[in-house]
Each structure stands twice: as structure tokens, then as C-alpha cells.
Amino acid sequence: MSKVLIIGAGGVGTVVAHKVAQNADVFTGIMLASRTKSKCDAIAADVERRTGVKIQTAQVDADNVPELVALMRSFQPKIVINVALPYQDLHIMDACLEAGVNYLDTANYEPLEEAHFEYSWQWAYHDRFKEAGLCAILGCGFDPGCTAIYTAYAAKHHFDEMHYLDIVDCNAGDHHKAFATNFNPEINIREITQRGKYWQDGRWVDIDPMSIHQPLTYPEIGPKESYLLYHEELESLVKNYPTIKRARFWMTFGQEYLTHLRVIQNIGMARIDPIEYNGQQIVPIQFLKAVLPAPETLGSNYTGYTSIGCRIRGVKDGQEKTYHIYNNCSHKAAYDETGTQGVSYTTGVPAMTGAYMFLTGQWGGHGVFNVEEFNPDPFLKKVAESGLPWHEIHNGDLEL
Ligand code: NDP
């Protein structure tokens, strides 16, 4: 019996629920728990309609460790897939340690009151997971997730030494809304309004937000203006692959999106500190989230593709070489299969696949691990079969 507890019933949780149900031979018991139980019930009904598999549901406050422990003790999952928000990571890890449950997430911990994310908080749990004989798998979405596993695959099969790594993330889709974010708006806006940084010659280089950009050509899509951001997988990848001299992350944004974002910041709606409003305290970015379209509602009219991959330069058998590995995902195909758009899909499919790797014994170990520390081969086979096929270009022009 390999029971799985999914925590979080947003866009990503919806995809994870569908994908684990499609693999009910391995996930022999499924529970979806979140803050709002009615959302879990609606997803469970849709999953049952599409797959015939029944999912149990529960209400849980994932910031309340005793509540989480009680739920885990009563359901007895082998692994938790955490697709709530980054703020909950440490509480869910604490509960997993207490209840003896393995852990997987897709985004690293971020304190609610500070827009700052790094792995140190979660890496500090390594010895406790090791001593408990449990495994914690960090960052198993698309980016982080597939991007780190693509890098591991490149290191294993195509390079003796990797020197330059550029992770490129393009959303060439159109949801036909004036402004909406593809995953949780609060997390998204906090991430992209931070200062940027990249790794160069053994140190981080800090830059003004969105100050470095250039057009990059995405396969079957064409050129799109791409902006250099900091992204969490850079931190673990430069640690795990010390031959990397420069590591950067690029993301595409349309002019319309950037204009809205600038206005949101200029008028104070991106603030994360509480303000007094009509006698009560509200956090502007949380209020903004309440009026923006929810990511899981964007799918029905979403056209176009995402294209995310790694462009790597290094040496193999004494020769310089370039390597590009990527996936293109259709928003419409994602919607037809799961009722959600491509960004939730590209996150939820790898999360299911990582849990599948663990439950089938293809990934494992005691402690806290980033995904590039596991064998990439079985993961990439399964993730391709599960809806995210990947492609390679050898010795092409990386433009970077
Ligand atoms: P959503 O906001 O759509 O969903 C988050 C869910 O978590 C909601 O159902 C919410 O409940 C629930 N939740 C929030 N706080 C709590 C709490 N205290 N207790 C219980 N449940 C809670 O976000 P997404 O689905 O878009 O994103 C989910 C995660 O995936 C995020 O951490 C995000 O950073 C990550 N992500 C990772 C990517 C990757 O490639 N690695 C890409 C995209 C996202 P309620 O419904 O009541 O609000």
C-alpha cells in the first residue's frame, strides 16, 4: 500500500490529483487536503469523472503542525506532496518528521514577512530526516524540478565538465485576460519583483530587477524578449556541479504584463507589509490576489505553448560542445486532460513523477535532497510518458 497525501488544492494540486489517479497502481490510496475543503471536493469529483478513481478529501491548516500530524497519523500516507504555498514548507516538514512520512515539494521555503527564498532553511533539516530514516525531495516541479533533472541528465550523458548553464523559461501562451499570473499571484509577484542575480566565477552577481534582457529564440515558437531573474534551482545546481562557471535563469514577459506589474508596484499594491484599512489590517498583495483571476481558472481559453529548458556549454572528450534540452507544453492539451492550464500542468506532472520514483524505489535515501542528486534516467522516461516529452539539440546555437 502506497498512500499519498496531497496538500494544496490550487492549480498545481488539481494536476497532481489527476496524475496520481492516473497511476493508481502505484498510488493505492489518495487524499487531497487543503485550507478550503470544498475546493478539494470539486477536484475529487472531477478526477473521479475522468479516471474513475476515488480521492478522499480533508480540511487542514498546513501552518498548524499538530493538525497536520493528526491528519497524517489517521491517513498514514507514505509520502506527502506539498503543493500548498512556500510559507508552509517547514511546518509540513516538521509534521512529516513527527508522523514518520516522506516529503516532496515544488518550491523552496519563503518566510511570509520577507520576500526572500533560499534553501538553507530546508537543507538544515537534512540530519533530522536522515536520523528518522525519511526522505525529503525538494523542488520537484518544472523549474525547479525538470530543469535540474535536465542538468543532471546532461552531466551524466553529455558532458565531462559543464561550464555555462542558462535555464530558459518561455510562456508563449495567451489567456486572453488583461493581467493574470499563471501560478499563485502573491508568490509570482514576490518572485519577479526581487533583485536579480546570477552565478559567475564562484560568486553571485546582483542586478536591478529586469535590468538584463535579450531576445531568445524558443523552438517552434520564435524569438521572445527574455529577462534575467534569480531562481532557486541556481543555488543547488552551482553547489552540486562546481565546474559551472556561470549559471543564469531567463524568463519571458510581454510588454503588457510588465506595464501592469510596474503600475502595481508604483501604486503600492505589491507591498507585503500590513496596512490599516477601514479599521482592519490588510496586506496589499494579498488583497490584490483576491481580485486577480485565480490561476486554476485560466485554462478554458488558453492558447499557445510553454517552452522551458536548459542551454548548456561545456566539454566532452576534450571537445567544446553545446546542448539544449527542453519541453514544449500546450495549454489547451493540459486543459483538455486536467481542466487547468500549462503552467500548473508542467509543475504537477513532475511532482507526481518524483513521488512515483520514490514509491517505486527508483529514487530514495535518508535526508533532504534536491532532485539533481537522484538518477535522472527513470524520471525522464516516466515524465515523458506522463505528458511532458523532452527534446534535445546537440551543438546548436545557444544565443548565450
Ligand atoms: P494556488 O494559490 O493556486 O494554490 C495553493 C493552494 O494551497 C490553495 O488551494 C490554498 O488554499 C492552499 N493553501 C494555502 N495556504 C494554506 C494553508 N495554510 N493550509 C492549507 N492549504 C493552504 O497555487 P499554485 O497551485 O499555483 O501553486 C502551488 C505551489 O506550486 C506554490 O508553492 C508555487 O510556488 C509552486 N509552483 C512551483 C512551480 C515549479 O515549476 N517548481 C511552478 C508553479 C508553482 P485556498 O484554496 O484556501 O486558498
mmCIF file of all heavy atoms in Angstrom, residues 7-13 33-36 39 60-63 83-86 88 106-107 140-145 182-185 187 289 295-296 343-344 346-347, ligand 1:
data_model
loop_
_atom_site.group_PDB
_atom_site.id
_atom_site.type_symbol
_atom_site.label_atom_id
_atom_site.label_comp_id
_atom_site.label_asym_id
_atom_site.label_seq_id
_atom_site.Cartn_x
_atom_site.Cartn_y
_atom_site.Cartn_z
ATOM 1 N N ILE A 7 -1.173 18.056 -0.360
ATOM 2 C CA ILE A 7 -1.616 19.233 0.408
ATOM 3 C C ILE A 7 -1.608 20.454 -0.506
ATOM 4 O O ILE A 7 -0.572 20.807 -1.068
ATOM 5 C CB ILE A 7 -0.738 19.474 1.649
ATOM 6 C CG1 ILE A 7 -0.740 18.228 2.534
ATOM 7 C CG2 ILE A 7 -1.237 20.694 2.421
ATOM 8 C CD1 ILE A 7 0.085 18.370 3.805
ATOM 9 N N GLY A 8 -2.778 21.095 -0.659
ATOM 10 C CA GLY A 8 -2.920 22.262 -1.545
ATOM 11 C C GLY A 8 -3.830 21.914 -2.703
ATOM 12 O O GLY A 8 -3.597 20.942 -3.419
ATOM 13 N N ALA A 9 -4.899 22.707 -2.869
ATOM 14 C CA ALA A 9 -5.907 22.403 -3.890
ATOM 15 C C ALA A 9 -6.037 23.561 -4.867
ATOM 16 O O ALA A 9 -7.130 23.973 -5.240
ATOM 17 C CB ALA A 9 -7.247 22.099 -3.219
ATOM 18 N N GLY A 10 -4.903 24.117 -5.290
ATOM 19 C CA GLY A 10 -4.913 25.160 -6.308
ATOM 20 C C GLY A 10 -4.688 24.540 -7.679
ATOM 21 O O GLY A 10 -5.022 23.370 -7.920
ATOM 22 N N GLY A 11 -4.111 25.350 -8.599
ATOM 23 C CA GLY A 11 -3.876 24.858 -9.952
ATOM 24 C C GLY A 11 -2.970 23.640 -9.966
ATOM 25 O O GLY A 11 -3.256 22.629 -10.626
ATOM 26 N N VAL A 12 -1.872 23.706 -9.222
ATOM 27 C CA VAL A 12 -0.907 22.595 -9.234
ATOM 28 C C VAL A 12 -1.513 21.364 -8.543
ATOM 29 O O VAL A 12 -1.400 20.237 -9.045
ATOM 30 C CB VAL A 12 0.424 23.020 -8.568
ATOM 31 C CG1 VAL A 12 1.417 21.864 -8.595
ATOM 32 C CG2 VAL A 12 1.014 24.240 -9.281
ATOM 33 N N GLY A 13 -2.184 21.587 -7.399
ATOM 34 C CA GLY A 13 -2.818 20.463 -6.694
ATOM 35 C C GLY A 13 -3.831 19.734 -7.572
ATOM 36 O O GLY A 13 -3.965 18.512 -7.508
ATOM 37 N N ALA A 33 -5.874 17.306 0.704
ATOM 38 C CA ALA A 33 -6.260 18.140 1.852
ATOM 39 C C ALA A 33 -5.806 19.569 1.607
ATOM 40 O O ALA A 33 -4.733 19.795 1.052
ATOM 41 C CB ALA A 33 -5.605 17.606 3.126
ATOM 42 N N SER A 34 -6.626 20.523 2.011
ATOM 43 C CA SER A 34 -6.249 21.919 1.828
ATOM 44 C C SER A 34 -7.049 22.784 2.801
ATOM 45 O O SER A 34 -7.870 22.276 3.570
ATOM 46 C CB SER A 34 -6.504 22.338 0.376
ATOM 47 O OG SER A 34 -5.920 23.581 0.111
ATOM 48 N N ARG A 35 -6.797 24.082 2.735
ATOM 49 C CA ARG A 35 -7.477 25.012 3.640
ATOM 50 C C ARG A 35 -8.976 25.028 3.380
ATOM 51 O O ARG A 35 -9.785 25.055 4.290
ATOM 52 C CB ARG A 35 -6.880 26.402 3.418
ATOM 53 C CG ARG A 35 -7.423 27.493 4.256
ATOM 54 C CD ARG A 35 -6.537 28.701 4.199
ATOM 55 N NE ARG A 35 -6.249 29.135 2.821
ATOM 56 C CZ ARG A 35 -5.306 30.004 2.512
ATOM 57 N NH1 ARG A 35 -4.557 30.530 3.455
ATOM 58 N NH2 ARG A 35 -5.124 30.358 1.257
ATOM 59 N N THR A 36 -9.369 24.983 2.096
ATOM 60 C CA THR A 36 -10.788 25.070 1.738
ATOM 61 C C THR A 36 -11.234 23.700 1.209
ATOM 62 O O THR A 36 -10.885 23.314 0.090
ATOM 63 C CB THR A 36 -10.989 26.144 0.649
ATOM 64 O OG1 THR A 36 -10.288 27.330 1.037
ATOM 65 C CG2 THR A 36 -12.444 26.471 0.436
ATOM 66 N N LYS A 39 -12.940 23.086 -2.274
ATOM 67 C CA LYS A 39 -12.103 23.014 -3.485
ATOM 68 C C LYS A 39 -11.595 21.588 -3.687
ATOM 69 O O LYS A 39 -11.532 21.093 -4.818
ATOM 70 C CB LYS A 39 -10.909 23.969 -3.370
ATOM 71 C CG LYS A 39 -11.281 25.431 -3.459
ATOM 72 C CD LYS A 39 -10.037 26.284 -3.698
ATOM 73 C CE LYS A 39 -10.351 27.756 -3.605
ATOM 74 N NZ LYS A 39 -9.167 28.607 -3.705
ATOM 75 N N VAL A 60 -7.444 21.050 6.134
ATOM 76 C CA VAL A 60 -6.284 21.151 7.026
ATOM 77 C C VAL A 60 -5.691 22.551 6.941
ATOM 78 O O VAL A 60 -5.693 23.162 5.874
ATOM 79 C CB VAL A 60 -5.221 20.074 6.685
ATOM 80 C CG1 VAL A 60 -4.412 20.422 5.432
ATOM 81 C CG2 VAL A 60 -4.267 19.837 7.849
ATOM 82 N N ASP A 61 -5.216 23.038 8.083
ATOM 83 C CA ASP A 61 -4.417 24.265 8.074
ATOM 84 C C ASP A 61 -2.952 23.824 8.089
ATOM 85 O O ASP A 61 -2.460 23.333 9.111
ATOM 86 C CB ASP A 61 -4.738 25.119 9.307
ATOM 87 C CG ASP A 61 -3.827 26.339 9.373
ATOM 88 O OD1 ASP A 61 -2.998 26.529 8.444
ATOM 89 O OD2 ASP A 61 -3.930 27.094 10.358
ATOM 90 N N ALA A 62 -2.294 23.991 6.965
ATOM 91 C CA ALA A 62 -0.926 23.471 6.818
ATOM 92 C C ALA A 62 0.101 24.313 7.569
ATOM 93 O O ALA A 62 1.301 24.031 7.505
ATOM 94 C CB ALA A 62 -0.567 23.361 5.343
ATOM 95 N N ASP A 63 -0.350 25.352 8.293
ATOM 96 C CA ASP A 63 0.557 26.061 9.194
ATOM 97 C C ASP A 63 0.430 25.535 10.622
ATOM 98 O O ASP A 63 1.128 26.011 11.516
ATOM 99 C CB ASP A 63 0.251 27.570 9.177
ATOM 100 C CG ASP A 63 0.714 28.200 7.879
ATOM 101 O OD1 ASP A 63 1.835 27.872 7.430
ATOM 102 O OD2 ASP A 63 -0.041 28.991 7.290
ATOM 103 N N VAL A 83 1.915 20.891 -2.305
ATOM 104 C CA VAL A 83 1.692 21.905 -3.341
ATOM 105 C C VAL A 83 0.780 23.011 -2.791
ATOM 106 O O VAL A 83 -0.058 23.552 -3.488
ATOM 107 C CB VAL A 83 1.161 21.297 -4.666
ATOM 108 C CG1 VAL A 83 2.298 20.650 -5.425
ATOM 109 C CG2 VAL A 83 0.037 20.298 -4.443
ATOM 110 N N ALA A 84 0.962 23.278 -1.487
ATOM 111 C CA ALA A 84 0.373 24.493 -0.887
ATOM 112 C C ALA A 84 1.338 25.625 -1.213
ATOM 113 O O ALA A 84 1.910 25.653 -2.304
ATOM 114 C CB ALA A 84 0.176 24.286 0.607
ATOM 115 N N LEU A 85 1.588 26.540 -0.328
ATOM 116 C CA LEU A 85 2.471 27.667 -0.662
ATOM 117 C C LEU A 85 3.830 27.505 0.018
ATOM 118 O O LEU A 85 3.942 26.771 0.998
ATOM 119 C CB LEU A 85 1.789 28.976 -0.246
ATOM 120 C CG LEU A 85 0.467 29.222 -0.982
ATOM 121 C CD1 LEU A 85 -0.169 30.537 -0.523
ATOM 122 C CD2 LEU A 85 0.670 29.241 -2.491
ATOM 123 N N PRO A 86 4.855 28.191 -0.474
ATOM 124 C CA PRO A 86 6.193 28.045 0.122
ATOM 125 C C PRO A 86 6.227 28.350 1.625
ATOM 126 O O PRO A 86 7.061 27.818 2.337
ATOM 127 C CB PRO A 86 7.039 29.060 -0.651
ATOM 128 C CG PRO A 86 6.335 29.235 -1.951
ATOM 129 C CD PRO A 86 4.883 29.063 -1.662
ATOM 130 N N GLN A 88 4.404 27.286 3.836
ATOM 131 C CA GLN A 88 4.043 26.113 4.646
ATOM 132 C C GLN A 88 5.127 25.034 4.683
ATOM 133 O O GLN A 88 5.012 24.061 5.430
ATOM 134 C CB GLN A 88 2.756 25.478 4.094
ATOM 135 C CG GLN A 88 1.472 26.137 4.542
ATOM 136 C CD GLN A 88 1.085 27.310 3.676
ATOM 137 O OE1 GLN A 88 1.000 27.199 2.468
ATOM 138 N NE2 GLN A 88 0.850 28.441 4.300
ATOM 139 N N THR A 106 7.583 21.553 -4.432
ATOM 140 C CA THR A 106 7.931 22.131 -5.738
ATOM 141 C C THR A 106 8.497 23.545 -5.620
ATOM 142 O O THR A 106 8.794 24.175 -6.636
ATOM 143 C CB THR A 106 6.688 22.204 -6.667
ATOM 144 O OG1 THR A 106 5.766 23.165 -6.131
ATOM 145 C CG2 THR A 106 6.013 20.855 -6.817
ATOM 146 N N ALA A 107 8.593 24.076 -4.399
ATOM 147 C CA ALA A 107 9.069 25.458 -4.239
ATOM 148 C C ALA A 107 9.729 25.585 -2.882
ATOM 149 O O ALA A 107 9.207 25.058 -1.895
ATOM 150 C CB ALA A 107 7.894 26.429 -4.318
ATOM 151 N N CYS A 140 10.535 19.675 -6.900
ATOM 152 C CA CYS A 140 10.232 18.712 -7.960
ATOM 153 C C CYS A 140 9.015 19.154 -8.783
ATOM 154 O O CYS A 140 8.040 18.423 -8.938
ATOM 155 C CB CYS A 140 10.019 17.324 -7.356
ATOM 156 S SG CYS A 140 10.196 16.007 -8.575
ATOM 157 N N GLY A 141 9.091 20.397 -9.297
ATOM 158 C CA GLY A 141 8.091 20.870 -10.258
ATOM 159 C C GLY A 141 8.760 20.928 -11.621
ATOM 160 O O GLY A 141 9.512 20.027 -11.977
ATOM 161 N N PHE A 142 8.534 22.034 -12.373
ATOM 162 C CA PHE A 142 9.284 22.136 -13.632
ATOM 163 C C PHE A 142 10.553 22.964 -13.441
ATOM 164 O O PHE A 142 11.648 22.520 -13.756
ATOM 165 C CB PHE A 142 8.447 22.698 -14.793
ATOM 166 C CG PHE A 142 8.996 22.213 -16.105
ATOM 167 C CD1 PHE A 142 8.397 21.156 -16.771
ATOM 168 C CD2 PHE A 142 10.162 22.742 -16.643
ATOM 169 C CE1 PHE A 142 8.943 20.641 -17.940
ATOM 170 C CE2 PHE A 142 10.715 22.243 -17.806
ATOM 171 C CZ PHE A 142 10.106 21.193 -18.456
ATOM 172 N N ASP A 143 10.364 24.196 -12.897
ATOM 173 C CA ASP A 143 11.564 24.973 -12.597
ATOM 174 C C ASP A 143 11.382 25.667 -11.262
ATOM 175 O O ASP A 143 10.729 26.700 -11.233
ATOM 176 C CB ASP A 143 11.940 25.932 -13.731
ATOM 177 C CG ASP A 143 10.761 26.722 -14.323
ATOM 178 O OD1 ASP A 143 9.600 26.342 -14.071
ATOM 179 O OD2 ASP A 143 11.013 27.713 -15.022
ATOM 180 N N PRO A 144 11.903 25.116 -10.169
ATOM 181 C CA PRO A 144 12.817 23.981 -10.126
ATOM 182 C C PRO A 144 12.099 22.658 -10.348
ATOM 183 O O PRO A 144 10.905 22.528 -10.085
ATOM 184 C CB PRO A 144 13.371 24.032 -8.706
ATOM 185 C CG PRO A 144 12.257 24.594 -7.895
ATOM 186 C CD PRO A 144 11.620 25.620 -8.788
ATOM 187 N N GLY A 145 12.875 21.674 -10.788
ATOM 188 C CA GLY A 145 12.362 20.330 -10.994
ATOM 189 C C GLY A 145 12.987 19.772 -12.254
ATOM 190 O O GLY A 145 14.186 19.477 -12.294
ATOM 191 N N ASN A 182 0.235 33.013 -13.758
ATOM 192 C CA ASN A 182 -0.018 31.601 -14.073
ATOM 193 C C ASN A 182 0.085 30.687 -12.877
ATOM 194 O O ASN A 182 -0.310 29.541 -12.932
ATOM 195 C CB ASN A 182 0.958 31.138 -15.149
ATOM 196 C CG ASN A 182 0.710 31.891 -16.424
ATOM 197 O OD1 ASN A 182 -0.298 31.696 -17.070
ATOM 198 N ND2 ASN A 182 1.618 32.799 -16.761
ATOM 199 N N PHE A 183 0.709 31.167 -11.817
ATOM 200 C CA PHE A 183 0.599 30.458 -10.543
ATOM 201 C C PHE A 183 0.326 31.502 -9.475
ATOM 202 O O PHE A 183 0.186 32.688 -9.785
ATOM 203 C CB PHE A 183 1.807 29.558 -10.264
ATOM 204 C CG PHE A 183 3.126 30.238 -10.094
ATOM 205 C CD1 PHE A 183 3.616 30.517 -8.835
ATOM 206 C CD2 PHE A 183 3.895 30.588 -11.185
ATOM 207 C CE1 PHE A 183 4.851 31.131 -8.657
ATOM 208 C CE2 PHE A 183 5.119 31.207 -11.032
ATOM 209 C CZ PHE A 183 5.599 31.477 -9.769
ATOM 210 N N ASN A 184 0.172 31.054 -8.265
ATOM 211 C CA ASN A 184 -0.268 31.933 -7.175
ATOM 212 C C ASN A 184 0.259 33.371 -7.344
ATOM 213 O O ASN A 184 1.461 33.606 -7.333
ATOM 214 C CB ASN A 184 0.212 31.327 -5.858
ATOM 215 C CG ASN A 184 -0.285 32.122 -4.686
ATOM 216 O OD1 ASN A 184 0.216 33.207 -4.414
ATOM 217 N ND2 ASN A 184 -1.302 31.622 -4.039
ATOM 218 N N PRO A 185 -0.615 34.368 -7.523
ATOM 219 C CA PRO A 185 -0.179 35.730 -7.832
ATOM 220 C C PRO A 185 0.758 36.324 -6.789
ATOM 221 O O PRO A 185 1.691 37.049 -7.120
ATOM 222 C CB PRO A 185 -1.482 36.532 -7.884
ATOM 223 C CG PRO A 185 -2.590 35.556 -7.947
ATOM 224 C CD PRO A 185 -2.087 34.232 -7.471
ATOM 225 N N ILE A 187 2.890 34.731 -4.759
ATOM 226 C CA ILE A 187 4.232 34.125 -4.864
ATOM 227 C C ILE A 187 4.908 34.635 -6.136
ATOM 228 O O ILE A 187 6.090 34.984 -6.145
ATOM 229 C CB ILE A 187 4.118 32.576 -4.904
ATOM 230 C CG1 ILE A 187 3.366 32.048 -3.672
ATOM 231 C CG2 ILE A 187 5.495 31.934 -5.027
ATOM 232 C CD1 ILE A 187 4.017 32.325 -2.354
ATOM 233 N N LYS A 289 -4.327 39.621 -4.777
ATOM 234 C CA LYS A 289 -4.562 38.215 -5.158
ATOM 235 C C LYS A 289 -6.072 37.907 -5.194
ATOM 236 O O LYS A 289 -6.554 37.203 -6.078
ATOM 237 C CB LYS A 289 -3.869 37.277 -4.156
ATOM 238 C CG LYS A 289 -4.173 35.803 -4.393
ATOM 239 C CD LYS A 289 -3.526 34.928 -3.321
ATOM 240 C CE LYS A 289 -3.770 33.460 -3.560
ATOM 241 N NZ LYS A 289 -5.127 33.006 -3.305
ATOM 242 N N PRO A 295 -5.283 31.257 -10.806
ATOM 243 C CA PRO A 295 -4.549 30.536 -11.858
ATOM 244 C C PRO A 295 -5.326 29.333 -12.402
ATOM 245 O O PRO A 295 -5.284 29.042 -13.596
ATOM 246 C CB PRO A 295 -3.271 30.069 -11.166
ATOM 247 C CG PRO A 295 -3.117 30.936 -9.966
ATOM 248 C CD PRO A 295 -4.482 31.416 -9.580
ATOM 249 N N GLU A 296 -6.077 28.656 -11.509
ATOM 250 C CA GLU A 296 -6.761 27.432 -11.966
ATOM 251 C C GLU A 296 -7.981 27.739 -12.844
ATOM 252 O O GLU A 296 -8.580 26.835 -13.412
ATOM 253 C CB GLU A 296 -7.139 26.522 -10.779
ATOM 254 C CG GLU A 296 -8.200 27.062 -9.831
ATOM 255 C CD GLU A 296 -7.604 27.865 -8.679
ATOM 256 O OE1 GLU A 296 -6.475 28.393 -8.805
ATOM 257 O OE2 GLU A 296 -8.295 27.972 -7.644
ATOM 258 N N VAL A 343 0.964 25.940 -17.083
ATOM 259 C CA VAL A 343 1.961 26.185 -16.034
ATOM 260 C C VAL A 343 1.676 25.284 -14.826
ATOM 261 O O VAL A 343 2.597 24.688 -14.248
ATOM 262 C CB VAL A 343 2.014 27.682 -15.650
ATOM 263 C CG1 VAL A 343 2.959 27.904 -14.474
ATOM 264 C CG2 VAL A 343 2.466 28.508 -16.850
ATOM 265 N N SER A 344 0.398 25.133 -14.472
ATOM 266 C CA SER A 344 0.063 24.191 -13.396
ATOM 267 C C SER A 344 0.414 22.764 -13.830
ATOM 268 O O SER A 344 0.922 21.967 -13.033
ATOM 269 C CB SER A 344 -1.429 24.252 -13.072
ATOM 270 O OG SER A 344 -1.805 25.547 -12.701
ATOM 271 N N THR A 346 2.746 21.727 -16.049
ATOM 272 C CA THR A 346 4.185 21.440 -16.082
ATOM 273 C C THR A 346 4.771 21.354 -14.668
ATOM 274 O O THR A 346 5.869 20.835 -14.492
ATOM 275 C CB THR A 346 4.969 22.506 -16.896
ATOM 276 O OG1 THR A 346 4.665 23.791 -16.377
ATOM 277 C CG2 THR A 346 4.644 22.440 -18.375
ATOM 278 N N THR A 347 4.070 21.842 -13.672
ATOM 279 C CA THR A 347 4.529 21.699 -12.278
ATOM 280 C C THR A 347 4.000 20.409 -11.661
ATOM 281 O O THR A 347 4.729 19.680 -10.975
ATOM 282 C CB THR A 347 4.049 22.896 -11.431
ATOM 283 O OG1 THR A 347 4.360 24.099 -12.118
ATOM 284 C CG2 THR A 347 4.697 22.908 -10.067
HETATM 285 P P1 NDP B 1 -2.546 28.258 -5.636
HETATM 286 O O1 NDP B 1 -2.572 29.528 -4.895
HETATM 287 O O2 NDP B 1 -3.435 28.066 -6.835
HETATM 288 O O3 NDP B 1 -2.830 27.034 -4.620
HETATM 289 C C1 NDP B 1 -2.291 26.968 -3.345
HETATM 290 C C2 NDP B 1 -3.188 26.072 -2.517
HETATM 291 O O4 NDP B 1 -2.629 25.954 -1.195
HETATM 292 C C3 NDP B 1 -4.610 26.635 -2.352
HETATM 293 O O5 NDP B 1 -5.543 25.591 -2.510
HETATM 294 C C4 NDP B 1 -4.603 27.155 -0.916
HETATM 295 O O6 NDP B 1 -5.829 27.103 -0.244
HETATM 296 C C5 NDP B 1 -3.668 26.166 -0.258
HETATM 297 N N1 NDP B 1 -3.139 26.735 0.984
HETATM 298 C C6 NDP B 1 -2.543 27.940 1.158
HETATM 299 N N2 NDP B 1 -2.247 28.122 2.443
HETATM 300 C C7 NDP B 1 -2.674 27.008 3.102
HETATM 301 C C8 NDP B 1 -2.661 26.600 4.447
HETATM 302 N N3 NDP B 1 -2.130 27.352 5.418
HETATM 303 N N4 NDP B 1 -3.191 25.399 4.757
HETATM 304 C C9 NDP B 1 -3.717 24.608 3.793
HETATM 305 N N5 NDP B 1 -3.756 24.936 2.496
HETATM 306 C C10 NDP B 1 -3.243 26.131 2.163
HETATM 307 O O7 NDP B 1 -1.030 27.996 -6.068
HETATM 308 P P2 NDP B 1 -0.480 27.071 -7.258
HETATM 309 O O8 NDP B 1 -1.256 25.804 -7.300
HETATM 310 O O9 NDP B 1 -0.353 27.890 -8.476
HETATM 311 O O10 NDP B 1 0.999 26.772 -6.703
HETATM 312 C C11 NDP B 1 1.214 25.776 -5.709
HETATM 313 C C12 NDP B 1 2.705 25.685 -5.389
HETATM 314 O O11 NDP B 1 3.435 25.332 -6.553
HETATM 315 C C13 NDP B 1 3.311 27.009 -4.883
HETATM 316 O O12 NDP B 1 4.187 26.720 -3.817
HETATM 317 C C14 NDP B 1 4.107 27.504 -6.069
HETATM 318 O O13 NDP B 1 5.211 28.284 -5.677
HETATM 319 C C15 NDP B 1 4.567 26.172 -6.672
HETATM 320 N N6 NDP B 1 4.938 26.283 -8.090
HETATM 321 C C16 NDP B 1 6.100 25.665 -8.498
HETATM 322 C C17 NDP B 1 6.483 25.725 -9.825
HETATM 323 C C18 NDP B 1 7.669 24.959 -10.294
HETATM 324 O O14 NDP B 1 7.832 24.788 -11.503
HETATM 325 N N7 NDP B 1 8.540 24.442 -9.440
HETATM 326 C C19 NDP B 1 5.714 26.490 -10.820
HETATM 327 C C20 NDP B 1 4.441 26.987 -10.318
HETATM 328 C C21 NDP B 1 4.098 26.897 -8.992
HETATM 329 P P3 NDP B 1 -7.094 28.029 -0.653
HETATM 330 O O15 NDP B 1 -7.659 27.324 -1.835
HETATM 331 O O16 NDP B 1 -7.977 28.006 0.544
HETATM 332 O O17 NDP B 1 -6.522 29.392 -0.970
#
